[in-house]
């Protein structure tokens, strides 16, 4: 179980949650402030993806989600964890952070329900291993293809120095404080 606070710029890349004995993913939304409804334009939706077969026959997520679920106070979302099927992500949040006077954040408690382990009530040994690899297994497995690209040297850009601005002064002051 974990507590997650997404503010401006936070997001979660597409994945399927398939690790170990995870069987059901859950999220309890507690967006801040709880007195106002979360708006779609603030981002932060849980995005669910349909799958398609890749050229190699491995299911992969489509580029566009089929469902977006925006957080709402005390909303409980759960879904089955399935290799090659349960792809989801969190849309980038565009509100919150230090500049946000309302203190908005996509706050949630999330985790997983796991399959019973040997020695626990309800334990059933898996009859067969999963036919489809998890997104993590696909990335680290022996069939993952990595390509090395030839580095090219580019000519130095010729440009005029940027005008000295107040932002430059603020950055310079900040960096000098850190350095000393």
């Amino acid at each position: 179980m974990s507590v997650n606070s997404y503010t401006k710029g936070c997001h979660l890349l597409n994945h399927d949650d398939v690790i170990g004995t995870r069987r059901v993913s859950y999220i309890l939304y507690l967006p801040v402030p709880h007195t106002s409804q979360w708006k779609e334009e603030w981002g932060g939706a849980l995005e669910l993806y349909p799958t398609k077969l890749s050229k190699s026959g491995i299911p992969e997520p489509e580029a566009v989600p089929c469902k977006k679920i925006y957080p709402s106070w005390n909303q409980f979302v759960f879904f089955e964890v399935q290799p090659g099927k349960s792809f989801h992500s969190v849309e980038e949040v565009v509100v919150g952070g230090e500049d946000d006077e309302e203190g908005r954040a996509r706050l949630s408690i999330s985790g997983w329900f796991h399959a019973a382990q040997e020695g626990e009530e309800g334990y059933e040994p898996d009859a067969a291993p999963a036919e489809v690899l998890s997104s993590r297994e696909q990335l680290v497995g022996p069939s993952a293809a990595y390509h090395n690209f030839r580095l090219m040297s580019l000519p130095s850009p010729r440009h005029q120095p940027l005008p000295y601005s107040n932002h430059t002064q603020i950055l310079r002051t900040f960096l000098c404080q850190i350095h000393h």
Side-chain angles (χ1 to χ4, degrees):
M1 182 181 333
S2 64
V3 174
N4 304 286
S5 178
Y6 288 77
T7 56
K8 190 172 186 173
C10 293
H11 63 282
L12 187 59
L13 298 177
N14 201 332
H15 63 287
D16 63 9
D17 273 4
V18 177
I19 296 176
T21 60
R22 293 177 180 177
R23 295 295 182 260
V24 175
S25 293
Y26 66 84
I27 307 163
L28 173 62
Y29 289 111
L30 304 166
V32 177
H34 73 280
T35 55
S36 64
Q37 185 69 32
W38 191 268
K39 297 179 181 167
E40 287 185 21
E41 60 264 23
W42 297 350
L46 171 65
E47 300 175 316
L48 306 175
Y49 291 83
T51 59
K52 63 179 179 182
L53 288 180
S54 67
K55 292 177 184 176
S56 60
I58 297 173
E60 63 184 23
E62 294 275 355
V64 177
C66 61
K67 178 80 174 169
K68 287 186 172 192
I69 302 169
Y70 288 91
S72 179
W73 180 258
N74 208 28
Q75 177 184 31
F76 188 72
V77 175
F78 59 95
F79 54 91
E80 186 177 4
V81 174
Q82 300 176 23
K85 292 185 180 179
S86 56
F87 290 105
H88 61 284
S89 64
V90 175
E91 178 183 48
E92 182 178 357
V93 175
V94 297
V95 296
E98 294 176 11
D99 299 336
D100 189 339
E101 293 178 8
E102 295 181 47
R104 294 173 289 191
R106 180 192 180 273
L107 188 65
S108 63
I109 298 172
S110 61
W112 304 272
F113 292 107
H114 291 261
Q117 302 298 296
E118 190 170 352
E120 294 178 338
E121 185 179 331
Y123 172 72
E124 295 178 16
D126 288 337
E131 296 176 21
V132 180
L133 298 177
S134 71
S135 53
R136 182 189 174 283
E137 290 168 326
Q138 292 175 36
L139 290 172
V140 299
S143 62
Y146 297 97
H147 304 283
N148 290 324
F149 295 96
R150 185 173 53 92
L151 294 176
M152 299 175 13
S153 58
L154 300 173
S156 298
R158 295 190 180 151
H159 59 78
Q160 296 295 323
L162 295 173
Y164 192 76
S165 69
N166 188 33
H167 295 287
T168 307
Q169 180 59 40
I170 291 169
L171 180 59
R172 182 180 299 217
T173 303
F174 174 75
L175 293 173
C176 285
Q177 289 174 352
I178 291 176
H179 188 274
H180 296 294

